[in-house]
Amino acid sequence: EQMRHNIAFSLERTAKNHPNHTAVITPHIGTSISFAELNDESSRIASGLNQYGFKKGDRVLLLVPFSIKFISIAFALFKAGTVPILIDPGLGRKNILKCIREAEPHGIIATPLVHAVSQIFRKSFHGVRYRVTVDSRCLWGGKSLKDIRNMADSRPTYVNVLPNDPAAILFTSGSTGTPKGVLYTHRMFSQQLGVLSSCYGIQPGEIDLPTFPLFALFGVGIGMTSILPEMDFTRPAKVDPEKIIQIIGKYNITSAFGSPALWDTISRYCLLH
């Protein structure tokens, strides 16, 4: 009942109905996770974040490479009632720092490199109170993701959110001007899941190929298995089209999301071969 307005409830529901179905596969490194495992992992991280001090409504900068870990943390942030800030790492240093200053994060979950950069550009990170490093900690303090997992309550409880409560801040790509932050509510995300499912007739169990991190969250929410390709997600036009075509054939991909630049590269390859 507490979870039903939270966009993370979509994962909770799929994990209940199809616990053993695979949620995410990363073929090039040989890793995968089921919906039940993903749900449990995100719940554990969410509980640890709340125990650490993250509160409902806190804005949290998430700068982690697109991976199973990224998806787990994103759903954990939703469950914890916090508001993840998602910025395209391909925007370049100047635009990324500007976006961070505008979003004014209370916390940051990132790689050691990002934490090191935050010590140099302190002005952009001045409001950060909570730091979590996805690997080992160093000079910046805070907690590691392992610490957060260990802090979790054995029976996690969820932060109650309402449909119009903030769910995330997403920054536009900057392709038509300065990147702009857009505030999404839990209701907006839920409506988008409904529209995507009905418009395309997507059914749980289908196979999705997301080449943009946000759409992996939609795929998991709908109940699709997401295949994470081997590519530089900050430079979609430079994708290796042969690798994408191989994945589509091997996993019988039924849907895929990509930028026009990515599809241009892939379609030109298809025409030639």
Side-chain angles (χ1 to χ4, degrees):
E1 180 64 20
Q2 272 191 306
M3 276 288 289
R4 66 190 178 92
H5 296 307
N6 194 312
I7 186 58
F9 182 66
S10 60
L11 170 60
E12 193 92 8
R13 182 174 56 233
T14 304
K16 181 179 179 180
N17 295 332
H18 309 284
N20 298 321
H21 285 194
T22 303
V24 188
I25 301 173
T26 313
H28 56 283
I29 59 175
T31 58
S32 64
I33 190 169
S34 70
F35 281 102
E37 290 168 336
L38 181 61
N39 187 52
D40 290 344
E41 171 72 355
S42 59
S43 293
R44 186 175 179 184
I45 295 172
S47 177
L49 291 174
N50 288 143
Q51 294 291 336
Y52 178 33
F54 284 88
K55 300 182 296 298
K56 178 182 177 180
D58 280 351
R59 296 183 295 277
V60 184
L61 179 64
L62 178 58
L63 285 174
V64 174
F66 187 29
S67 58
I68 291 175
K69 190 176 292 184
F70 168 89
I71 296 171
S72 299
I73 296 171
F75 275 102
L77 289 168
F78 294 142
K79 290 182 178 183
T82 59
V83 184
I85 302 165
L86 302 180
I87 302 172
D88 184 348
L91 291 178
R93 187 187 69 190
K94 182 179 178 181
N95 279 328
I96 291 174
L97 290 173
K98 182 176 182 295
C99 292
I100 294 171
R101 286 196 299 274
E102 289 180 2
E104 297 182 326
H106 303 108
I108 176 173
I109 303 176
T111 60
L113 177 60
V114 174
H115 283 286
V117 169
S118 74
Q119 300 303 302
I120 301 171
F121 300 96
R122 291 176 180 269
K123 184 178 179 181
S124 297
F125 298 84
H126 69 91
V128 172
R129 301 192 301 270
Y130 307 104
R131 292 177 175 271
V132 178
T133 311
V134 292
D135 296 306
S136 58
R137 289 179 292 122
C138 195
L139 302 175
W140 44 82
K143 302 289 184 183
S144 69
L145 192 59
K146 182 179 179 181
D147 294 332
I148 294 297
R149 290 192 189 99
N150 292 336
M151 292 168 66
D153 194 291
S154 58
R155 298 184 64 183
T157 56
Y158 299 114
V159 174
N160 194 25
V161 299
L162 298 175
N164 290 325
D165 282 343
I169 296 173
L170 313 179
F171 277 85
T172 60
S173 65
S175 59
T176 58
T178 304
K180 295 167 282 293
V182 180
L183 179 65
Y184 280 71
T185 64
H186 286 275
R187 187 198 300 273
M188 289 165 67
F189 275 141
S190 296
Q191 291 288 345
Q192 285 185 323
L193 283 184
V195 169
L196 284 169
S197 298
S198 62
C199 189
Y200 290 103
I202 295 171
Q203 299 295 320
E206 292 192 22
I207 314 296
D208 186 44
L209 177 68
T211 64
F212 183 68
L214 175 62
F215 273 75
L217 305 182
F218 283 139
V220 168
I222 294 172
M224 293 191 287
T225 296
S226 293
I227 311 296
L228 307 190
E230 182 181 5
M231 61 174 285
D232 183 349
F233 296 97
T234 68
R235 295 178 175 83
K238 301 296 184 181
V239 68
D240 183 340
E242 188 172 0
K243 289 182 178 179
I244 298 296
I245 295 299
Q246 287 174 351
I247 286 178
I248 290 173
K250 180 178 180 180
Y251 290 94
N252 295 316
I253 301 295
T254 55
S255 66
F257 176 86
S259 70
L262 177 135
W263 291 125
D264 182 60
T265 299
I266 295 172
S267 60
R268 289 177 186 276
Y269 172 87
C270 290
L271 288 170
L272 288 172
H273 300 279

